[in-house]
């Protein structure tokens, strides 16, 4: 009887040790899960940072495209202004020719048409 009692007591100690080992393993698993959650949060932060950097690069590229469009528009407007100036110059030249013709035989021709 005594042996059984002592054996029972010893068995209880073993169960206690097993429970302690199991609690230790559970704590380790929980620490590992927490480390994994932290690694996942870090990956998300890196992805977010990469997305932010990519958005910033896209804004810069859009700004460059906008500046290029504006530069092209200014160049087109300068070309149009040069063309208008050339047209004004041609008109002044035609006017000078008409005046010159008016002083010469052109006037006689005009009178003949008018008669």
């Amino acid at each position: 009887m005594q042996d059984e009692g002592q054996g029972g007591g010893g068995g209880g100690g073993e169960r206690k040790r097993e429970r302690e080992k199991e609690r230790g393993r559970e704590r380790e698993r929980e620490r590992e899960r927490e480390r994994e959650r932290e690694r996942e949060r870090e990956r998300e932060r890196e992805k977010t940072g990469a997305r932010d950097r990519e958005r910033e690069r896209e804004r810069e590229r859009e700004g460059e495209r906008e500046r290029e469009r504006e530069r092209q528009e200014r160049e087109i407007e300068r070309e149009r202004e040069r063309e208008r100036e050339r047209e004004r110059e041609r008109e002044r030249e035609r006017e000078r020719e008409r005046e010159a013709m008016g002083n010469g035989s052109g006037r006689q021709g005009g009178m003949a048409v008018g008669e």
Side-chain angles (χ1 to χ4, degrees):
M1 287 286 292
Q2 242 180 351
D3 288 339
E4 288 176 15
Q6 288 176 345
E14 187 157 327
R15 282 192 298 274
K16 187 175 182 181
R17 281 190 299 277
E18 279 300 314
R19 282 193 303 271
E20 282 299 317
K21 284 183 191 176
E22 185 54 38
R23 280 195 285 269
R25 288 190 290 266
E26 183 55 38
R27 283 190 297 269
E28 184 54 37
R29 286 191 293 268
E30 183 55 38
R31 283 191 293 269
E32 183 54 37
R33 285 191 291 268
E34 183 55 38
R35 285 190 292 268
E36 183 54 38
R37 285 191 291 269
E38 183 55 37
R39 286 190 292 268
E40 183 59 32
R41 285 190 291 269
E42 184 58 31
R43 284 191 291 271
E44 279 301 313
R45 282 191 293 271
E46 288 172 6
K47 280 194 258 182
T48 299
R51 285 191 298 266
D52 290 346
R53 288 187 298 276
E54 182 55 34
R55 279 194 291 271
E56 182 60 29
R57 283 191 294 272
E58 183 54 37
R59 280 192 292 272
E60 289 171 6
R61 287 190 293 267
E62 183 56 37
E64 289 169 8
R65 287 190 291 266
E66 182 62 28
R67 286 188 292 279
E68 179 61 20
R69 279 191 294 271
E70 289 171 356
R71 186 195 64 75
Q72 289 174 350
E73 288 172 4
R74 286 191 303 272
E75 183 58 34
I76 289 168
E77 187 53 40
R78 282 192 294 271
E79 184 55 38
R80 287 177 182 155
E81 183 56 39
R82 286 190 291 268
E83 183 56 37
R84 285 190 292 268
E85 184 55 38
R86 286 191 292 269
E87 184 56 40
R88 286 190 291 269
E89 186 55 40
R90 286 191 290 270
E91 185 58 39
R92 285 191 291 269
E93 185 59 33
R94 285 192 291 271
E95 185 61 35
R96 284 191 291 272
E97 289 174 5
R98 281 193 292 273
E99 286 176 5
M101 288 173 63
N103 291 334
S105 61
R107 181 181 290 173
Q108 293 171 353
M111 288 173 65
V113 170
E115 289 177 352

